[in-house]
Amino acid sequence: MINIRIGPRLARAWRVLRTSGARNFTIRVANKVRLMLGAGSAGQRAYAARKAAIDAEFDRKSGVDTGGVQHLYDLTVVGGNAGHGTSHIASDPGEFATALAMLDRDLSVATFVDLGSGKGRALLMAAAYPFRRLIGVEFTAEMHAVATANLAGRPDRDRFELVHGDAAAYEFPDTPLVLFLFNPFDAPVVAAVAERALASWRRNPRPITVLYVNPLQADAWLAAGWRECARDGTYAMFEPA
């Protein structure tokens, strides 16, 4: 039987190879194969087990589907940045709470924007805070659909907005913002997002705070002209310079 998914997968693999280079492409493929064969390190296996337990507990209590690991090879991506996305792993509730605790500002006037929002877990957790609006931007059709289903029937559904699109092309609303990222993209997309967000602020100066969890591309914000307010191994926070 012919696997009809092989064409899109090969095309996406070629985009990753072309945009990230042979070395990074090889590392990605090798890591994925090791994990598929159960040959990851003891630390990787422990992390996977812990994450699965946290995901199951969150989804059971909330009556939603937000967990698991979703690889972009298996998904339908809008825009030209599939090669710069990372596999989707939902935000850890403890890490999310720690990140939000870093904010020292009036959230009731702010819009929370999750860039690379996946199935919507960060949006669901952000709903416990007094944000005026909650926006998720996700470039895969499948996870956008799951997020839509997760929000269906909520009495506060009108508070949410789900955008199916490429974060690198997203137009930020002209309101105070909290931008949230959980390591969703490689450097080129992070740089594009940082530049667009700063351009939005320059057109309309207002409070904008970036909360970046697992900030592997934090330097892209500095290069774009943002000021670093805080950083440790797990979190980085930026504001317009």
Side-chain angles (χ1 to χ4, degrees):
M1 179 181 294
I2 296 175
N3 182 351
I4 61 173
R5 298 287 296 176
I6 194 169
R9 287 186 183 186
L10 285 176
R12 198 162 293 131
W14 168 245
R15 286 198 296 271
V16 174
L17 174 61
R18 187 179 58 193
T19 57
S20 64
R23 181 177 181 276
N24 289 335
F25 176 79
T26 301
I27 291 172
R28 287 190 184 195
V29 171
N31 286 338
K32 184 173 182 181
V33 170
R34 281 199 300 270
L35 291 174
M36 290 174 61
L37 296 176
S41 69
Q44 287 174 321
R45 292 193 296 271
Y47 169 79
R50 176 179 174 275
K51 180 193 180 302
I54 290 172
D55 286 353
E57 180 68 6
F58 181 92
D59 287 354
R60 181 188 66 79
K61 285 185 175 180
S62 305
V64 293
D65 169 21
T66 64
V69 178
Q70 290 75 42
H71 300 291
L72 296 185
Y73 291 111
D74 301 321
L75 303 176
T76 307
V77 176
V78 66
N81 284 313
H84 295 303
T86 64
S87 296
H88 171 256
I89 300 175
S91 297
D92 178 275
E95 291 182 347
F96 184 84
T98 299
L100 269 289
M102 297 170 67
L103 295 172
D104 183 18
R105 50 177 288 194
D106 182 5
L107 301 184
S108 66
V109 299
T111 298
F112 177 90
V113 181
D114 182 12
L115 298 163
S117 52
K119 297 180 179 181
R121 181 185 293 178
L123 295 174
L124 294 168
M125 294 189 293
Y129 297 80
F131 291 107
R132 187 171 70 175
R133 295 177 64 206
L134 304 155
I135 300 175
V137 183
E138 173 55 44
F139 73 168
T140 69
E142 292 84 353
M143 285 194 286
H144 173 75
V146 174
T148 300
N150 284 333
L151 296 180
R154 286 182 62 100
D156 59 349
R157 178 63 181 87
D158 291 345
R159 190 179 169 206
F160 295 82
E161 179 184 352
L162 296 178
V163 177
H164 179 212
D166 188 339
Y170 178 65
E171 292 289 343
F172 293 95
D174 288 330
T175 61
L177 299 173
V178 172
L179 308 182
F180 180 78
L181 301 90
F182 180 38
N183 187 35
F185 320 116
D186 289 341
V189 176
V190 176
V193 168
E195 290 167 3
R196 290 182 73 87
L198 193 60
S200 176
W201 176 80
R202 285 171 174 159
R203 288 192 301 270
N204 177 26
R206 62 211 188 271
I208 300 180
T209 305
V210 178
L211 289 179
Y212 188 0
V213 181
N214 194 15
L216 297 184
Q217 311 300 337
D219 289 349
W221 292 91
L222 299 176
W226 291 77
R227 177 175 64 89
E228 183 177 280
C229 304
R231 192 197 301 196
D232 62 22
T234 305
Y235 309 94
M237 185 166 69
F238 302 94
E239 291 181 349

